[in-house]
Amino acid sequence: MIYPPVGIRSIAVNFPSVVRTNDYWRNNYPDLVATAEQKSLSKVFSPGNSTPSNEFELEMSPYLKDPFRGTVERRILGVGESSLTLEYGAARDALAAAKLFPEEVDLMIVASLWPENILPGNAAFLAAQLGLRGAAWNLDSTCSNALVALQNATALVRTGEYRNVLVVVSCTYSRFTDENDTLSWFFGDGAGAFVVGALKENQGIISTKIVNTCATCDTFYNEFTADAEGKVRMLIRAAKHTNKVLSDTAVDYLRECCLGAIATAGVTLDEIKFFAFNTPTAWYSRLCIEALGIQQERTIDLYPQYANIGPMLPIANLYHGAQLGKIQENDLVLVYSIGSVSNAAATVMRWGNVALGSASKSRTRDNLTQEPCLIS
């Protein structure tokens, strides 16, 4: 079937004001760092045996002597910042880049991990802030939020139901982790947005392959607890068997989705100019490169700058890939995301003349000793 050309018209990212380095924990939680091998992070990302048993553990092995498992920096919510403030900044910039007024947005899809109010979500609140009159929906597929929302937006524009769809995605892991838990070391915050609409002939979304990740059920989960002031908090927890499940399934999900999307698109891996992999760990980009047999220069690894920003990873990779000139108009691009207890997804698209929003620049640095650099 031949579909009308629909895809991403503009894209923007928005990160919080605090850049937190590993020195924050070394200075404020020295005992935690000293005993890190007994804590959550090492339990989650440690092989069951001394010898790696699969590709995931093989790529992870160089990081095992580092208590932070390769994490360098993460962006963290500052005073007065929230998932809504991050989403608003990203949405505003994406609309400005697309040269759209709020009244021209027919639908906004919001995917917050997690929203300020777990129910009903951020969509209506964000619509009020932006001055939107069209539909506003909440969507959830954890770390695959961006690609699931992109598939939905594309389908709705293709049918003619809507013309312009604004997708807004945020991740605010810092609200749901405890600084006394080493699991917080590899989580960060951020938001992104993109406008989906009609593109030039032969541009836009070509194919998408999505499979559920039910094999990862009971790995990461949420637990309610009381803080020092007696207030109830929801925190992210990881089960003891998490590393085994993630390492055993990572490559299978990657290949099933990426090769499936490639086959449906009728192209080959060699024809893809840029790969936007999500990078939830320091070694995940390398895992994808080796599993698909591609060259390192055809992707980027943002983990050193952002750590694990969940559903924001594909958007950040696309934004910075275009910003760095790694993606040009009419290039074939493959985007992959993996979400625990949700879905793995891959999308093949032909990049259009995508307008970029202005990246947020103001930062408060926690013990930052040097400027970060993008790794290609």
Side-chain angles (χ1 to χ4, degrees):
M1 181 181 294
I2 299 176
Y3 295 108
V6 174
I8 297 173
R9 290 182 50 196
S10 70
I11 189 168
V13 295
N14 187 28
F15 292 97
S17 59
V18 177
V19 179
R20 183 158 295 170
T21 69
N22 297 338
D23 283 344
Y24 176 85
W25 279 276
R26 292 191 180 101
N27 295 335
N28 294 286
Y29 300 92
D31 293 340
L32 181 65
V33 177
T35 59
E37 291 307 317
Q38 304 171 24
K39 302 297 181 179
S40 298
L41 183 66
S42 295
K43 290 180 180 179
V44 172
F45 294 123
S46 294
N49 303 301
S50 57
T51 302
S53 61
N54 51 49
E55 296 98 323
F56 186 95
E57 292 186 350
L58 181 65
E59 298 299 336
M60 178 176 64
S61 57
Y63 298 91
L64 295 180
K65 294 182 179 180
D66 175 13
F68 294 94
R69 293 296 190 264
T71 315
V72 180
E73 297 177 359
R74 62 292 276 159
R75 273 61 180 165
I76 301 297
L77 291 175
V79 177
E81 294 176 327
S82 67
S83 62
L84 270 171
T85 64
L86 294 183
E87 289 172 359
Y88 175 77
R92 179 196 58 202
D93 286 354
L95 290 177
K99 299 180 179 179
L100 285 177
F101 293 105
E103 56 267 26
E104 295 177 282
V105 176
D106 307 303
L107 166 67
M108 179 174 64
I109 301 175
V110 181
S112 315
L113 192 59
W114 285 269
E116 292 306 298
N117 301 291
I118 302 303
L119 288 174
N122 282 355
F125 299 95
L126 185 58
Q129 291 182 350
L130 292 168
L132 302 184
R133 294 297 302 164
W137 300 344
N138 292 290
L139 173 148
D140 177 65
S141 187
T142 67
C143 292
S144 285
N145 279 344
L147 292 191
V148 172
L150 175 60
Q151 185 188 48
N152 278 269
T154 300
L156 290 167
V157 174
R158 279 174 173 165
T159 64
E161 187 78 15
Y162 299 107
R163 293 174 304 159
N164 300 308
V165 179
L166 172 64
V167 174
V168 187
V169 176
S170 71
C171 179
T172 49
Y173 278 144
S174 68
R175 295 165 53 217
F176 303 96
T177 52
D178 191 329
E179 290 183 3
N180 286 293
D181 187 344
T182 58
L183 204 59
S184 67
W185 291 356
F186 77 107
F187 283 138
D189 304 328
F194 51 87
V195 172
V196 176
L199 299 184
K200 296 177 185 176
E201 199 66 33
N202 298 319
Q203 293 181 346
I205 307 304
I206 302 174
S207 66
T208 298
K209 174 71 173 181
I210 298 179
V211 299
N212 74 73
T213 55
C214 62
T216 65
C217 287
D218 301 319
T219 51
F220 293 104
Y221 60 95
N222 298 321
E223 180 180 77
F224 289 97
T225 185
D227 63 16
E229 299 177 355
K231 296 180 180 179
V232 176
R233 289 187 64 192
M234 186 177 79
L235 296 178
I236 303 171
R237 302 298 193 193
K240 293 181 180 180
H241 64 284
T242 295
N243 180 75
K244 176 172 174 53
V245 175
L246 298 185
S247 63
D248 284 348
T249 59
V251 171
D252 289 342
Y253 283 135
L254 170 76
R255 287 176 175 155
E256 181 176 6
C257 289
C258 292
L259 298 182
I262 287 284
T264 302
V267 300
T268 66
L269 287 173
D270 289 339
E271 293 177 87
I272 302 295
K273 179 67 180 296
F274 182 77
F275 293 82
F277 301 118
N278 71 333
T279 49
T281 67
W283 55 92
Y284 210 90
S285 177
R286 192 73 218 166
L287 174 73
C288 296
I289 289 168
E290 292 297 321
L292 296 181
I294 65 171
Q295 296 81 14
Q296 184 173 345
E297 58 268 20
R298 294 163 70 190
T299 187
I300 56 176
D301 183 1
L302 299 174
Y303 190 83
Q305 287 70 51
Y306 298 130
N308 182 356
I309 48 175
M312 258 297 292
L313 288 165
I315 300 176
N317 275 282
L318 286 174
Y319 179 89
H320 286 296
Q323 187 184 53
L324 292 168
K326 287 180 169 287
I327 313 176
Q328 303 291 334
E329 186 173 6
N330 293 314
D331 282 347
L332 281 173
V333 176
L334 186 147
V335 190
Y336 174 73
S337 67
I338 175 70
S340 296
V341 200
S342 60
N343 292 282
T347 295
V348 176
M349 66 181 76
R350 190 171 294 279
W351 198 249
N353 182 21
V354 180
L356 302 182
S358 57
S360 51
K361 296 180 180 179
S362 177
R363 296 287 177 265
T364 299
R365 299 184 180 275
D366 284 346
N367 307 306
L368 186 62
T369 56
Q370 63 182 11
E371 290 294 324
C373 60
L374 291 172
I375 296 177
S376 62

